[in-house]
């Protein structure tokens, strides 16, 4: 079982609609969770982070975390063509040494917003 | 401004050759990571380091090695390049002390093994 799993898509959403991206993780000691966006040929860039159960909103983006179900999701409201990219879920675990982290990614979901 | 840079950006090498990819960060981060990215696999962790002289194997470490002699650099070495190691390689770094810190990525190195 992979540590972090995502539906690889592709996911196609009409402009203005809500895009919903999902991620599950296997290690219960995971402490923090991230969503990165990656445009074709570019490096990943952080768009959301979440550490506590519940929802976290930032503009058009909402991250949702359910540690009991080991589930993280990202909602993108009012989707724009510029949101078309690959979205990577990442899970961070402390590694025993103070401040040390192990950052593991899912395989990514390719999202296309259709005008 | 602090940054993380990778070199070279593109590399073509022959099977069996030793190749080293450089990663240099000026964030003064203790955590550094190397990933490879292939279609359908996302970012897979090769090696990671928590500080000087510390290195750890990730999920796809076979055929790769790293060393950490200072805070700023984590070079990735392919001991004997294989065609299966053709990929895009990303280096990243993150701060310590707070688990929930962002990782910053380099621009990536596209490696082709022929």
């Amino acid at each position: 079982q992979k540590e972090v799993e995502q539906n690889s898509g592709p996911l196609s959403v009409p402009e203005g609609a809500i895009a919903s991206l999902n991620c599950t993780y296997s290690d219960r000691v995971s402490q923090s969770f991230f969503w990165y966006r990656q445009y074709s040929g570019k490096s990943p860039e952080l768009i959301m982070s979440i550490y506590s159960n519940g929802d976290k909103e930032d503009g058009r983006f909402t991250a949702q975390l359910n540690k009991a179900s080991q589930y993280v999701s990202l909602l993108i409201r009012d989707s724009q063509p510029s949101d078309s990219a690959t979205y990577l879920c990442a899970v961070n675990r402390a590694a025993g040494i103070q401040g040390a982290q192990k950052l593991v990614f899912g395989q990514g979901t390719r999202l296309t917003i259709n005008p | 401004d602090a940054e993380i840079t990778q070199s070279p950006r593109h590399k073509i090498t022959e099977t069996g050759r030793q190749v080293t990819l450089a990663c240099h960060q000026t964030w003064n981060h203790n955590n550094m990571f190397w990933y490879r990215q292939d279609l359908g696999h996302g970012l897979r962790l090769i090696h990671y380091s928590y500080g000087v002289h510390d290195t750890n194997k990730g999920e796809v470490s076979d055929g790769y090695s790293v060393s950490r002699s200072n805070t700023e650099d984590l070079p990735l070495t392919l001991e004997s390049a294989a065609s299966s190691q053709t990929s895009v390689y990303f280096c990243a770094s993150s701060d310590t002390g707070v688990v929930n810190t962002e990782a910053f990525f380099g621009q990536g190195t596209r490696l082709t093994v022929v």
Side-chain angles (χ1 to χ4, degrees):
Chain A
Q1 182 184 9
K2 292 185 178 180
E3 286 194 57
V4 182
E5 295 208 51
Q6 297 178 250
N7 186 333
S8 59
L11 177 64
S12 185
V13 173
E15 184 175 357
I18 296 175
S20 178
L21 305 163
N22 304 314
C23 172
T24 58
Y25 61 95
S26 61
D27 194 334
R28 288 192 173 272
V29 302
S30 300
Q31 296 182 305
S32 51
F33 309 86
F34 305 87
W35 284 99
Y36 283 79
R37 178 177 62 200
Q38 186 178 26
Y39 293 114
S40 180
K42 301 296 185 181
S43 305
E45 56 177 340
L46 183 70
I47 53 171
M48 287 289 288
S49 59
I50 188 166
Y51 327 120
S52 304
N53 279 327
D55 296 358
K56 179 181 178 182
E57 186 175 319
D58 184 0
R60 296 186 296 111
F61 298 95
T62 299
Q64 299 174 316
L65 173 61
N66 183 326
K67 289 188 177 181
S69 300
Q70 296 175 241
Y71 177 88
V72 192
S73 66
L74 178 70
L75 300 177
I76 306 175
R77 291 182 301 281
D78 187 24
S79 297
Q80 303 297 310
S82 59
D83 295 327
S84 297
T86 296
Y87 289 79
L88 297 159
C89 174
V91 173
N92 205 357
R93 294 190 291 129
I97 302 171
Q98 184 177 359
Q101 304 167 32
K102 182 182 178 183
L103 186 62
V104 180
F105 285 81
Q107 65 267 47
T109 298
R110 185 171 180 179
L111 174 66
T112 300
I113 307 300
N114 300 309
Chain B
D1 287 343
E3 60 181 1
I4 178 167
T5 56
Q6 294 182 234
S7 62
R9 294 293 310 277
H10 302 272
K11 174 79 175 177
I12 299 175
T13 191
E14 294 178 343
T15 300
R17 288 193 178 268
Q18 183 181 80
V19 176
T20 297
L21 308 183
C23 176
H24 179 80
Q25 53 98 3
T26 58
W27 295 98
N28 200 35
H29 286 162
N30 280 334
N31 297 319
M32 294 187 72
F33 310 88
W34 272 106
Y35 298 91
R36 61 177 289 174
Q37 187 170 39
D38 307 287
L39 194 63
H41 290 282
L43 290 167
R44 290 186 290 177
L45 186 61
I46 305 172
H47 283 286
Y48 54 106
S49 169
Y50 298 141
V52 177
H53 302 311
D54 176 80
T55 61
N56 305 279
K57 293 182 178 180
E59 62 178 305
V60 290
S61 60
D62 287 349
Y64 303 94
S65 63
V66 294
S67 62
R68 187 92 180 268
S69 58
N70 58 52
T71 300
E72 296 80 15
D73 298 288
L74 187 69
L76 177 70
T77 297
L78 288 68
E79 301 294 343
S80 177
S83 58
S84 60
Q85 295 176 307
T86 293
S87 187
V88 178
Y89 291 85
F90 285 100
C91 178
S93 71
S94 68
D95 202 359
T96 52
V98 179
V99 173
N100 309 318
T101 57
E102 174 182 1
F104 295 89
F105 282 82
Q107 321 94 302
T109 295
R110 183 174 294 275
L111 176 68
T112 302
V113 183
V114 297

